Every structure is written in C-alpha cells, then in structure tokens.
Amino acid sequence: LAGPPSPPGLAPPGWRGPVDCVRANELCAGEPSCSSRYRTLRQCLAGRDRNTMLANKECQAALEVLQESALYHCRCKRGMKKELQCLQIYWSIHLGLTEGEEFYEASPYEPVTSRLSDIFRLASIFSGMDPAATSRSNHCLDAAKACNLNDNCKRLRSGYISTCSRELSATEPCSRRKCHKALRQFFDRVPGEFTFRLLFCSCKDRACAERRRQTIVPSCSYEDKDKPNCLDLRGACRADHLCRSRLADFHTNCQATFQFLTACPGDNFQACLGSYAGLIGFDITPNYVDASTTSITISPWCSCKGSGNMEEECEKFLRDFTENPCLRNAIQAFGNGTDVHPAP
Amino acid sequence: AALGLYFPRKEYLENVYIDESAGMPLLRIHALKDSREEMAHFHLCQNLIISRARSHENNWFQIREKTGVLYLSKSLDREDFNMLSVGNWMPLSKVMLYVFLSSHPFQEKECDSATRTTVFLSLINATAPACSSLTARQLCFTEMDLSFHIKENKPPGIFHQLQLPSVHHLCQNLSISYKLLAAEGVPFWYNENTTSVRVTQRLDREERERYELIAKCTVREGFREMQVEVPFLVNVLDEDDSPPFLPNGTDTADAVVEFNRKEGTVLAMLTVYDADTTPIYPLESSRKKYTGTIITDDPWISETFRVEHIFDEIHFSPNGSQVRGTRHEYKLVLNKSISVTEHRSFQLDVLVNDTEFHGPERSVMLHFNVSILPVSIQFSNITYQFTVNRNAERFAQIGKICIENCMKFRGVNITYKLLSPNGSCYPVSILQGREDKYGSLYVNDSSVLRRPECKEIQYIVQATDKQSRKHTKTLLTVVLEGTLLKKEEDCPDSCAISKHRAECEECGGLGVLTGRCQWRQGSGKGITTNYSTCTPSIKTCPDGICDVVEGRDPAVCPQDCTSGNIIGGHGKGIGNLGIKSGHGICYCFPRQNCYCEKDDIKEPLCDDVCKTVI
C-alpha cells in the first residue's frame, strides 16, 4: 500500500503549497516580467492547440518563465470568495495546455486533507444518541432533524426545497436553473457534517432509502423528460468553468485505483464524498437511481444510448458513477461511521 | 487520402520505477491497417506531459519505429523523479506521452499527426519490486482493462500482445503463460509463441458488434502455480456501410389538416431504418448527415410545411446477437397556421438522403398525401337560451357560447361579441375563454337584474375568426327569473371569507348565481384537493383553474386565483396561483392572506351524564 506522495522538493523559492489563483494573478500583475509573459501566453493559447503553441519560440519562452511563477501552480478552494474568477484564471492557462480532450482532467481545487473521522467527531457531539437506539433508527430522518436544529443548515435547506418544488405551469414543474443554484448554495455553504449525513445516510428500509433519494428534490434537480447521452452531458458541463472544475475534482478524488486498498486515491474518502457533493446543482448532478437498500447505484441523468462509435468511452464515463468501487466504499464507510486512518 | 492505420486502443498504461536500467522494454503498442500493403511506423512526441499541465523534454523514453515497443533509453534516477513530480499533487505521479502513427518512415519528428494514442506512465517512487513479491494479477496484466476496438471492413492483423514486456524482461525465472478463452468460431487467433492476438478476418459490425473473451494467465514458480482471469473485450467500430430502408415498405402517409391548424402541429410521420449507428452527440452533425428535404417548386408549400427529423437507437438481431441500429423519424409539421378558408390536396414528397453512404441506394423518397379541409365558422342551428336568477351577483357565470367544433380548434382565433339589443336591459357580457375557443357569459351589471321591466332580453351573438374575418351570428335569449331575496346585513362581498357553513349559506357574494354562496364540504383527511370552503358556485370554484371571469376580480374565487400567502397546511396550484390542496377549511381575505385550518369547533361531546343515560 503506497502512502501519500512526499511533498515535492523543488518548489520555487519562497513558495509553500499552492497559492490561490486570484492571489497568484495579483502577484503576477505586480511584476512586469510575469504580467507580460502571462499576456503573451494567453494570446498563444487562444485558439491554438498545444503543439503549434509549443513550436512558437515566443510562446515557449513565456511558458518557461511562467512555469516558475506562482500562477502556474495555483489552485482554487471550493466555495471560496471569487471562486469563479479563480477558476477562470486557472483554466485560462490549463485549458490550452491540456488540450481539453483528456478523459480525466486534473482538479483545479486544493487537495482535501481532512478525514471522515473529523466529521464523525463533530457529528457525535450533536447526535449524542445511544447505540441501541441508533441501530433501529432512520439515519436519514436523524440527519434531517440535525439539519433543522442548525439555523444555517435549516435556512439553506428549506431554501432549496421550496425553490425546487415551486410549480411554474402545467408544462414546467419548476425552475431547474434556480433549483440548481439553491442546491449549490446549500452544498457550498453548509458544512459537511450536515450535508454528508443527509446525502450518504445508511438505510435498512425503503422509506429511509427513498428519503435519501429525495434529498436533492430529484423531480426538479435531476430527472428530465429525456435522458441525454452522457458524452453530450459531459460536453455541456465542460463548456462551463465551474461545472468542468467540479467534474475534474470528482475524477481526481473518486477515480477507482488498484493502488490503494479502499480503491480511492490516497485512501481519502472525505475528498471523494466532497467532490461528489460538489457536482450537485450542475448539469451533471448525480443521484441514487432507486430506493434500494441492498445495493447503492449512483448515476447522472444520462444514458449511453446513441453513442455510436463512442459507446466504449461513454460507458467508461458512466461507470465512474454506477460501478465505482471508490465511491461505493466511501458512501458505505460514511454510513457505517468507519474511516481509514492515513499512514502518519 | 485519409490515413488508414489506427490504434486498437486509446490508452496504454505502465508503471515506471526508480533506477530501472536503460534498454528495459515497458510496453508494446500495435496498429491495425486499412490495406494489406501498409506498414506501420511509430514515433513519440518529444515532450512528456506532466499532469497539472506541465511538460518536460522527454529524455528517457523511446519507441522502436517498426515494432512499437516503448522502452527506457536512460534510467530514471531519484532526481529525475523529483523533477517530474514537481507540482504534481495527485496521490499518484503520472506522466503522459503521445505515440503517433504513420504509413511511411517519419521525416520530421513533430507532434502533429491526427492518429495518436496516449501512454500513461505511473511513476512509482521506489525501486522495482522483486518478482516474488508481485501477485499473479500484477505479473500478468496491467491495471487497465483489456478492451479494444477494431474497425469493421478492414484487413486482419495483430492487435495485442498479452505478455507484459517489462515483466518478461525482469522476471525471467518465472514461467508465465497465457490462454485466450473464446467461444467456437470467434474471429480471433492467439499465438502461444509470441502471446500475440490476431483478428483473423474482416469484421462486420452489423453482424456482431461486441466480442467478450477471457484472457487466462498461469504463473509457475517451481511447484507453485497461480492463475488469474480477466475479461478481454473487442468492440467493432461502425462505418456507414448500410443504406436506408423502409420498415414494411411503407413510404406513404396521410396528412389531414382540419380543426387543428396551428403552427407546429405534427400532421404525419414516416419512419426510415438504417442498420448503421448514428451518434446523437454531437447532434447537429448527425442531422446533417441524414437529410430530409421537401421536393417542391411551389413556394406556398415550402413556406407552409417543414420536415422535422429525429432519430434514436434501436436494436436489430441479425443472428441471435443484438446490434445497434438507427430509426429515423421524419415528421411533416405545419410551419405556419393555416387559414380556415384554405382548401387543397396534393402529394408532398420528401427525399431522405444518407449522405455518407457510398452506394446507389443512398436515398429513399417519402410521400405525404396532404389534404387541407376548410372549416366553417358557424353556430349549430340552435339559439341559446339561458335563465338567470334575479339574485345573481356580478361575475356570476351563466354559460358558455361556442361555435360548432370550437373545442377541437387549435390555431384558430375566434372572438365572441354581444350585439346589444334595443332597450336598456344589458345585464350580461361576454369574455374570451381559454385559447380563444369559447366565450364565457357572465353578469356584468347586477342592478339590471333587479329591475322589474327587464324580463326577457334578446341579444345577437357574433363569432368572428380573427384571421379570415369570417363571422357568424345567432340569437341569445336571457330570461330573468326568481323573486328578489332580502339582502342580509353584514355580509362580506366575497363568499371566500366565510369560514363556517352557516354564515356561508346565508350570505351572497360576488359571482353567486342565486344570491347565496355555496358550501363545499370536504371529506378528505389531511391536506386534500377536496378541502371545505365557501364558494359562489361549486361548479366553477374551486376547480384548480383561475378562469377569465374569476380573474377579473380577486374577490370572486381567491381559492383558484390568489397569489398571496396561504397560511396553514396547503399545496399551491399551477404557476403558484390558488390553493390546489388544503387542510381542513380554507378561507381567504381577497388581496390578503388565505388560511387553511382544521375547524376546532367540534360537535358537543357526549359527557358522563349522557354516557350513563345510554
């Protein structure tokens, strides 16, 4: 079992850990050589592919200088102030360099270092229930109760529920755009100890599992008249900086790998669950497909019908949701209240 | 000419350890051909792409141009590792290389050919593990699925080698052998000497598009024997090699335009099948590949009709196995609303063209027999007669006026008008109903009803089609009946304010037909659409629809029309208007709040004295 990677030893002097891109952009703007190279590079990347860009001497020089700057290694934080601006700066450099055609893209977000155990510790403070009662109770109902006892959670939860269940007309059951926005606010601004309990509660009966499935008001935020093709959905998501970043984050943190016992990168369940929750409120919103208690199946609202020659790629994309051992292990571990303890 | 060579895999994956020796083979890449004469040449892009969008000159990896073996030309030491993983925050350091393919020796080593595959190298921060410490799974296969794609109609060739070059190189004291388990008659052949897998004949996707085999590996070390099996999948890629055809030979459909004349109406639909797949992504390009064009010289026809093309995936079963195909549907749609006076019949031809199919039968002709029938704007030969109670209030709904077939009309706008008679008795008016289909007759001036000289009033109703200006008239008689009731004191002007049956039924209010509000007694439990409420007329309020007459004044039926707050258990109606369902009794103060609550005044309970009597 490989441990987490050793921190890179060759970071530029005076630079410890990733700076956020908004700050890095300010730093670069204050330095004439950096800001002019950044401008050059952005012009190089606009409308050109990586290879023609690398062939150009001026572009290459700009790239070499920028590789030493904080701008090159910058990252963003989930739910930070100016998150969108930060991501725009990030993709302005990275989109041209990674060609944007990769199946998996690297996450523009800072790595998650906290662990599920942190959540459990906090959760136990306000649940305070004895284990005998817990074994019979409906965990999803308990999660809703816990949320209602917290002003912030209650306000944002009732906010998205009323937005998502407001009927507009006979043909339009709700405003999907507003519902998604309200859901994003809920998952960005409410701490994981509340949101994870609602999303990933463990269930022994159908009523509980149905409540879990209904958490995000799927009739508005998830289901639609037609099921689009998953690659089409991915294309729509990648056209939007925020959605693209959340999807890249999901792929980075939940991509199943044999290198770790839990199948999760770095055995980090918290990171996987966090990036799953980060997808809710976008085109690619995932949810439980049914109220089954025995098997957990997650999927975005799409299918691989009509994929033509891209069927293999489409199914690979869909399997990262439907048959992902990392995601499944993370959800189950959260439900059971177990976590792996990282090697020190 | 397009390059015929292609890679049977999109991605390759291998691990690289610290200090592995130069010359170490890492993996082998194969190419498949378009024609037998072609020779494959491989070359590497001279840049390593490090995740996090960094690149570095490739000083370590090379590929044999003719065999496709990727090998280490220089060992990676710890310093190289650290340099390649700067800024790589992933739990795993990966570098990426592009391998290019050409049918002739490479002249300039540039990274610009379209035919490329991606090699991922996981950099493992340790020296290569001892062979004895590796599991059978690690010795036999990489982490990547054994999944390949082979184009249909192409010559046979080798597309994979099961043996891992790196393991074979390092663990020579182990005996590792493979077998490919397949059903009889599968067009693949496994060569035990080279461990290579060959496709033995041209494949046809329309026959079968997926082969599922099993690769079995046996590792022997002295007396120890380990076995591992993994799926080995081959997908057959499609090309446009099938012409369109008609299911059951149907190429003709009738399209009749009568009452429904609205723009956007689908008149008829014909279906065309194709055994080829059609990707719905990206949608527009697939639409362009399969066209449907109206063949006509008549500008009126091309302005009035359009063809809409949708397609979806269906399955054919040519010989037991299922393969995907496409159903194309061509709908004849009205491009604009057609006047009620239009009358003609003709045949409309639509040419469907599979533009990427290279053969003589690439197109089919579809025929629509179009008949546009005129519709008459007329009242059926009755005259309308309505009786109105003298105690009716303003906005009481008396009845509906409707020309023949009016409810079937779509895309025809009819306006109804009352032509006033001589005299001074005009108690009623008319309002357009929904979608201009009918007219709603209602009391507009209730004081007229009370005047003794007004008894029987005759109107002429006129209905006019907006587009053609065609109109028709009929006679309408309104008979006033009933005796005037004494008005109760202290009654509110809206029925909806009353919370109890008694006060409801002794008062009138806006919209009442006979001078008294009506009580609807709900029966349901909890929050129900059948809640108790006081209404001017149970027939129209609350029915979940805020109709034109109710919409004129918020006091008539707030239960259907309110947009204000509703306090208590309830569900809102469509578009946030009205109370769709409520708990107990719902009552409203017009222009203010509505309340839904359980009535807490109960029947007097049987007390102890009463119980002993019983």
Side-chain angles (χ1 to χ4, degrees):
Chain A
L1 193 73
S6 53
L10 289 176
W15 176 74
R16 252 176 250 103
V19 179
D20 85 60
C21 298
V22 178
R23 178 82 190 114
N25 191 35
E26 285 165 10
L27 289 175
C28 183
E31 234 179 278
S33 76
C34 181
S35 64
S36 77
R37 298 296 157 92
Y38 180 37
R39 233 175 300 129
T40 309
L41 185 70
R42 282 208 305 209
Q43 274 162 9
C44 291
L45 293 174
R48 256 179 285 182
D49 68 273
R50 183 192 173 82
N51 300 321
T52 32
M53 194 215 82
L54 284 174
N56 180 313
K57 283 268 181 304
E58 211 182 325
C59 294
Q60 213 168 354
L63 186 61
E64 270 165 29
V65 171
L66 283 179
Q67 283 195 357
E68 302 302 316
S69 81
L71 200 52
Y72 209 84
H73 306 275
C74 71
R75 297 278 200 106
C76 303
K77 276 200 189 87
R78 272 270 302 281
M80 68 187 276
K81 231 196 238 174
K82 300 186 186 166
E83 180 178 348
L84 186 59
Q85 193 195 338
C86 182
L87 294 169
Q88 275 162 348
I89 296 167
Y90 176 90
W91 289 112
S92 75
I93 296 182
H94 293 260
L95 204 52
L97 294 180
T98 53
E99 305 217 4
E101 293 297 323
E102 280 174 61
F103 193 90
Y104 295 118
E105 293 182 319
S107 171
Y109 291 106
E110 277 183 16
V112 174
T113 48
S114 55
R115 295 274 157 176
L116 280 186
S117 10
D118 301 337
I119 285 191
F120 302 145
R121 211 168 42 241
L122 281 166
S124 63
I125 296 170
F126 35 70
S127 73
M129 264 178 288
D130 69 297
T134 315
S135 68
R136 273 181 289 110
S137 67
N138 178 333
H139 291 288
C140 298
L141 188 60
D142 294 340
K145 285 182 196 161
C147 177
N148 280 338
L149 291 175
N150 174 286
D151 284 343
N152 189 37
C153 188
K154 181 181 169 184
R155 185 173 56 81
L156 289 169
R157 179 166 173 263
S158 50
Y160 83 73
I161 289 175
S162 65
T163 308
C164 298
S165 37
R166 189 170 300 147
E167 197 173 354
L168 292 180
S169 67
T171 48
E172 237 184 321
C174 67
S175 163
R176 195 185 181 87
R177 196 180 52 80
K178 285 185 184 164
C179 170
H180 276 176
K181 193 177 171 202
L183 278 167
R184 291 201 297 270
Q185 277 182 353
F186 177 74
F187 286 103
D188 280 349
R189 296 190 193 162
V190 177
E193 57 260 32
F194 295 108
T195 57
F196 285 18
R197 284 182 83 191
L198 284 165
L199 269 183
F200 310 118
C201 41
S202 66
C203 284
K204 292 198 181 68
D205 59 70
R206 285 190 76 83
C208 171
E210 180 59 19
R211 176 180 274 276
R212 179 173 64 191
R213 193 183 76 83
Q214 292 285 352
T215 303
I216 62 165
V217 197
S219 60
C220 181
S221 68
Y222 180 65
E223 287 150 27
D224 211 342
K225 282 199 298 293
D226 308 308
K227 261 194 181 179
N229 184 274
C230 295
L231 296 176
D232 209 358
L233 203 64
R234 182 181 68 172
C237 178
R238 284 191 169 180
D240 170 67
H241 282 323
L242 209 51
C243 188
R244 181 181 207 129
S245 307
R246 299 298 175 87
L247 183 61
D249 196 50
F250 174 76
H251 280 150
T252 302
N253 292 317
C254 292
Q255 195 189 132
T257 166
F258 293 143
Q259 309 257 356
F260 295 95
L261 263 186
T262 60
C264 283
D267 287 324
N268 192 339
F269 287 149
Q270 162 97 8
C272 176
L273 296 181
S275 51
Y276 172 91
L279 289 176
I280 294 169
F282 292 92
D283 287 342
I284 205 100
T285 299
N287 198 25
Y288 299 88
V289 298
D290 53 31
S292 160
T293 48
T294 46
S295 67
I296 289 174
T297 311
I298 300 277
S299 172
W301 188 256
C302 66
S303 81
C304 282
K305 225 179 152 193
S307 297
N309 279 340
M310 307 274 275
E311 194 173 49
E312 206 183 331
E313 184 169 350
C314 182
E315 278 174 356
K316 184 178 166 195
F317 176 81
L318 188 55
R319 270 202 306 274
D320 280 329
F321 293 92
T322 55
E323 293 167 37
N324 183 336
C326 164
L327 181 60
R328 192 172 307 152
N329 289 344
I331 293 175
Q332 274 163 0
F334 185 85
N336 299 339
T338 50
D339 191 9
V340 272
H341 293 277
Chain B
L3 185 65
L5 289 166
Y6 69 96
F7 292 104
R9 299 188 87 162
K10 265 202 177 140
E11 293 172 353
Y12 291 82
L13 174 76
E14 187 52 80
N15 295 335
V16 180
Y17 296 91
I18 289 183
D19 290 332
E20 281 181 313
S21 59
M24 160 94 179
L26 293 171
L27 55 95
R28 180 159 181 187
I29 290 168
H30 288 86
L32 284 167
K33 305 173 186 181
D34 198 14
S35 63
R36 282 175 197 273
E37 309 79 56
E38 269 177 328
M39 279 284 289
H41 297 265
F42 301 90
H43 104 90
L44 279 183
C45 175
Q46 281 312 305
N47 267 301
L48 284 177
I49 294 161
I50 305 170
S51 34
R52 320 281 325 142
R54 246 157 40 84
S55 65
H56 193 281
E57 202 184 330
N58 170 18
N59 299 324
W60 304 274
F61 308 102
Q62 282 188 31
I63 197 163
R64 300 213 189 278
E65 181 160 338
K66 297 220 168 116
T67 58
V69 173
L70 185 83
Y71 64 99
L72 264 177
S73 57
K74 176 174 172 292
S75 77
L76 270 101
D77 57 29
R78 189 162 295 276
E79 211 171 295
D80 296 331
F81 258 82
N82 288 340
M83 180 170 56
L84 290 176
S85 43
V86 171
N88 200 337
W89 294 83
M90 315 268 275
L92 286 171
S93 293
K94 264 186 196 169
V95 295
M96 198 166 91
L97 278 164
Y98 291 134
V99 176
F100 293 91
L101 195 52
S102 168
S103 54
H104 48 78
F106 279 88
Q107 309 283 314
E108 273 177 87
K109 306 248 168 181
E110 276 184 20
C111 317
D112 58 357
S113 158
T115 314
R116 70 168 189 211
T117 189
T118 312
V119 174
F120 289 100
L121 297 170
S122 296
L123 305 181
I124 313 271
N125 194 5
T127 52
C131 295
S132 56
S133 71
L134 292 174
T135 63
R137 180 71 175 74
Q138 288 170 310
L139 287 166
C140 295
F141 306 104
T142 67
E143 212 175 281
M144 198 161 270
D145 296 335
L146 283 179
S147 170
F148 304 89
H149 46 85
I150 296 178
K151 292 186 183 174
E152 64 172 335
N153 310 323
K154 302 286 182 209
I158 292 172
F159 62 95
H160 186 63
Q161 179 186 300
L162 285 166
Q163 184 183 70
L164 301 178
S166 54
V167 172
H168 184 67
H169 184 82
L170 288 173
C171 309
Q172 284 172 358
N173 56 337
L174 295 180
S175 139
I176 302 172
S177 62
Y178 294 88
K179 269 209 171 89
L180 201 57
L181 310 179
E184 196 90 354
V186 162
F188 303 102
W189 184 70
Y190 170 65
N191 181 336
E192 254 176 80
N193 297 326
T194 59
T195 75
S196 58
V197 188
R198 183 183 175 82
V199 52
T200 56
Q201 65 188 56
R202 284 173 190 261
L203 302 180
D204 180 5
R205 193 204 63 89
E206 284 72 36
E207 284 278 314
R208 181 162 176 185
E209 60 177 347
R210 202 172 158 87
Y211 295 90
E212 294 175 7
L213 292 74
I214 290 168
K216 181 176 171 183
C217 173
T218 309
V219 181
R220 274 189 207 89
E221 189 184 13
F223 295 107
R224 231 153 58 91
E225 190 180 288
M226 295 180 285
Q227 284 190 337
V228 56
E229 290 182 1
V230 297
F232 184 102
L233 304 174
V234 179
N235 287 295
V236 185
L237 294 190
D238 191 26
E239 61 174 20
D240 196 343
D241 58 350
S242 319
F245 66 97
L246 297 160
N248 313 323
T250 311
D251 65 351
T252 308
D254 291 333
V256 181
V257 180
E258 198 176 4
F259 300 114
N260 193 346
R261 315 174 82 90
K262 195 177 175 160
E263 188 266 312
T265 302
V266 177
L267 300 174
M269 186 179 78
L270 283 166
T271 307
V272 175
Y273 281 2
D274 193 312
D276 292 319
T277 61
T278 313
I280 59 171
Y281 169 73
L283 186 61
E284 280 316 304
S285 73
S286 294
R287 281 236 175 84
K288 278 181 202 136
K289 281 179 207 153
Y290 229 91
T291 58
T293 327
I294 296 177
I295 306 296
T296 181
D297 298 329
D298 184 342
W300 185 84
I301 290 180
S302 49
E303 275 168 33
T304 312
F305 298 93
R306 65 172 188 261
V307 169
E308 280 181 5
H309 171 209
I310 56 164
F311 56 89
D312 64 351
E313 192 175 286
I314 51 165
H315 289 99
F316 294 106
S317 307
N319 43 17
S321 76
Q322 248 194 2
V323 297
R324 297 169 299 151
T326 311
R327 171 175 53 210
H328 297 270
E329 289 176 337
Y330 289 91
K331 294 178 187 170
L332 187 66
V333 179
L334 280 184
N335 205 25
K336 59 180 189 190
S337 295
I338 296 184
S339 159
V340 290
T341 54
E342 202 67 65
H343 185 195
R344 49 173 115 186
S345 319
F346 50 89
Q347 181 177 296
L348 189 151
D349 292 336
V350 171
L351 180 71
V352 169
N353 200 348
D354 179 359
T355 57
E356 292 200 340
F357 178 71
H358 299 289
E361 321 94 358
R362 62 194 293 184
S363 50
V364 288
M365 191 69 89
L366 305 177
H367 311 285
F368 291 100
N369 292 326
V370 181
S371 336
I372 301 175
L373 306 174
V375 286
S376 49
I377 302 294
Q378 65 184 47
F379 285 104
S380 35
N381 53 359
I382 49 142
T383 57
Y384 284 97
Q385 176 159 346
F386 294 106
T387 45
V388 178
N389 189 294
R390 284 187 184 274
N391 298 295
E393 287 287 347
R394 194 163 189 232
F395 299 121
Q397 296 196 38
I398 297 159
K400 284 177 181 165
I401 306 285
C402 172
I403 59 166
E404 229 173 28
N405 298 311
C406 79
M407 294 313 281
K408 291 187 198 160
F409 281 131
R410 285 194 67 226
V412 181
N413 292 340
I414 308 287
T415 40
Y416 295 90
K417 208 160 91 180
L418 290 183
L419 304 180
S420 314
N422 296 329
S424 60
C425 299
Y426 317 120
V428 299
S429 284
I430 203 161
L431 273 174
Q432 295 303 121
R434 292 204 304 164
E435 293 181 329
D436 291 346
K437 283 178 176 170
Y438 56 85
S440 285
L441 207 60
Y442 71 101
V443 173
N444 192 30
D445 187 348
S446 54
S447 67
V448 178
L449 299 177
R450 325 278 195 252
R451 281 172 19 208
E453 74 272 22
C454 300
K455 281 175 190 152
E456 188 174 298
I457 308 136
Q458 300 223 319
Y459 291 89
I460 301 219
V461 200
Q462 179 178 281
T464 313
D465 169 46
K466 267 186 199 155
Q467 201 186 354
S468 66
R469 308 306 308 165
K470 281 202 147 204
H471 52 80
T472 178
K473 290 174 186 171
T474 192
L475 205 62
L476 162 70
T477 312
V478 174
V479 181
L480 305 187
E481 57 154 37
T483 49
L484 279 174
L485 297 168
K486 191 169 87 59
K487 269 218 166 181
E488 288 287 329
E489 297 289 315
D490 304 327
C491 274
D493 69 342
S494 173
C495 294
I497 293 174
S498 298
K499 202 182 156 185
H500 301 292
R501 183 171 203 140
E503 66 189 61
C504 172
E505 288 177 343
E506 67 193 23
C507 276
L510 277 186
V512 297
L513 290 163
T514 56
R516 293 285 179 259
C517 298
Q518 297 176 348
W519 180 258
R520 185 175 84 168
Q521 182 60 45
S523 56
K525 284 180 182 150
I527 296 175
T528 163
T529 51
N530 187 20
Y531 54 85
S532 299
T533 197
C534 183
T535 160
S537 162
I538 290 175
K539 254 192 238 162
T540 52
C541 173
D543 61 353
I545 299 159
C546 184
D547 62 46
V548 274
V549 179
E550 289 166 355
R552 288 299 285 265
D553 191 311
V556 180
C557 181
Q559 295 98 319
D560 280 341
C561 299
T562 183
S563 55
N565 290 329
I566 303 163
I567 290 141
H570 72 278
K572 283 192 177 174
I574 290 164
N576 251 1
L577 287 184
I579 309 168
K580 188 176 169 191
S581 50
H583 182 234
I585 299 165
C586 294
Y587 59 99
C588 295
F589 297 98
R591 295 181 197 85
Q592 294 172 43
N593 293 339
C594 290
Y595 299 85
C596 291
E597 62 195 26
K598 206 77 184 163
D599 192 4
D600 38 20
I601 301 167
K602 298 247 167 61
E603 300 284 313
L605 284 169
C606 196
D607 60 16
D608 286 333
V609 182
C610 137
K611 273 182 192 158
T612 44
V613 171
I614 294 166

